[in-house]
Amino acid sequence: QQQVKQSPQSLIVQKGGISIINCAYENTAFDYFPWYQQFPGKGPALLIAIRPDVSEKKEGRFTISFNKSAKQFSLHIMDSQPGDSATYFCAAQGNFGNEKLTFGTGTRLTIIP
Amino acid sequence: DAMVIQNPRYQVTQFGKPVTLSCSQTLNHNVMYWYQQKSSQAPKLLFHYYDKDFNNEADTPDNFQSRRPNTSFCFLDIRSPGLGDAAMYLCATSTIGKQETQYFGPGTRLLVL
């Protein structure tokens, strides 16, 4: 019940295309869903996050779509660029103080020219 | 710039030889975390500190210990490294609270020979 399932494991998208990464969870106590971006040799960094009171959040080219009834959320990267090539982790967290992040398994995204 | 610093970036040790990894932060955050990340996997939480209050994950091997002598520094001690402990070790920090952003350092890559 604590798992967050993430797909696909790897993704290749052409420059300018839309990259879509999907996550699903079971634990209804989760109410905060961040996405972390990790470049090779670096630690993860928060990219964008959403709470379940909204169905979509957009920051620049990055959008999270959230479906509370299906317990699914996804990251969309519009106009994907080679600099977006990285590993993306979805995560989930409950609502009490400093509860640990439950990470998805990660998606390695490669943007090709 | 405020940041999370990890030293060394690469560490080679011998099977069974104790090793210490260090983390320092200039963010003045109360909470510090240690994660283990193996190739193509999500970060796995080992333990964390709320100030000096130590919290161990149930499945963290006894071989792993941690010390936090002050707010800025935290150490990960691996008492008898095995081949299976070869991984990237990530330090992260956050403020105390609900769903606070975690800020990751660049990691230390540990190789066990």
Side-chain angles (χ1 to χ4, degrees):
Chain A
Q1 196 177 14
Q2 288 295 320
Q3 281 187 325
V4 177
K5 296 180 181 179
Q6 184 172 346
S7 63
Q9 189 173 10
S10 63
L11 180 62
I12 299 174
V13 174
Q14 276 203 309
K15 180 182 174 182
I18 303 173
S19 304
I20 301 174
I21 304 170
N22 300 299
C23 287
Y25 65 99
E26 290 293 327
N27 187 349
T28 55
F30 289 146
D31 73 345
Y32 177 67
F33 303 91
W35 285 86
Y36 280 80
Q37 180 189 54
Q38 185 176 25
F39 293 105
K42 305 282 188 181
L46 179 66
L47 182 65
I48 185 173
I50 196 168
R51 289 189 168 82
D53 52 345
V54 296
S55 60
E56 186 176 281
K57 183 173 181 180
K58 184 175 181 179
E59 290 184 1
R61 296 184 294 109
F62 300 90
T63 299
I64 302 177
S65 297
F66 189 85
N67 185 330
K68 188 174 181 179
S69 61
K71 291 185 282 187
Q72 295 175 346
F73 58 109
S74 59
L75 176 69
H76 298 235
I77 306 174
M78 311 300 287
D79 186 28
S80 299
Q81 299 297 312
D84 298 329
S85 297
T87 299
Y88 292 81
F89 293 97
C90 62
Q93 196 174 28
N95 193 28
F96 54 92
N98 291 110
E99 181 184 329
K100 71 175 184 179
L101 286 166
T102 298
F103 283 97
T105 48
T107 297
R108 178 174 284 185
L109 174 65
T110 303
I111 308 301
I112 56 175
Chain B
D1 285 343
M3 57 175 47
V4 181
I5 302 160
Q6 291 190 245
N7 286 306
R9 295 295 311 278
Y10 300 91
Q11 177 74 57
V12 180
T13 191
Q14 291 180 331
F15 182 94
K17 184 174 182 181
V19 66
T20 295
L21 310 182
S22 73
C23 176
S24 63
Q25 53 123 345
T26 61
L27 297 162
N28 203 32
H29 284 168
N30 300 94
V31 190
M32 294 187 78
Y33 308 82
W34 279 106
Y35 288 87
Q36 179 192 64
Q37 186 177 30
K38 295 190 175 180
S39 183
S40 301
Q41 295 184 21
K44 178 181 181 298
L45 184 64
L46 296 173
F47 23 60
H48 65 281
Y49 283 89
Y50 297 141
D51 289 323
K52 292 199 170 185
D53 182 20
F54 177 72
N55 297 271
N56 198 32
E57 291 300 299
D59 58 353
T60 298
D62 292 340
N63 199 24
F64 291 85
Q65 304 284 322
S66 184
R67 296 170 283 137
R68 188 178 186 186
N70 54 53
T71 300
S72 300
F73 286 86
C74 196
F75 299 97
L76 171 61
D77 301 309
I78 308 176
R79 292 192 295 184
S80 181
L83 298 179
D85 296 328
M88 175 77 86
Y89 290 87
L90 295 163
C91 175
T93 73
S94 75
T95 56
I96 289 178
K98 295 180 181 178
Q99 298 159 353
E100 298 296 328
T101 299
Q102 291 188 22
Y103 295 85
F104 285 82
T108 294
R109 183 163 295 282
L110 178 68
L111 181 63
V112 181
L113 301 178

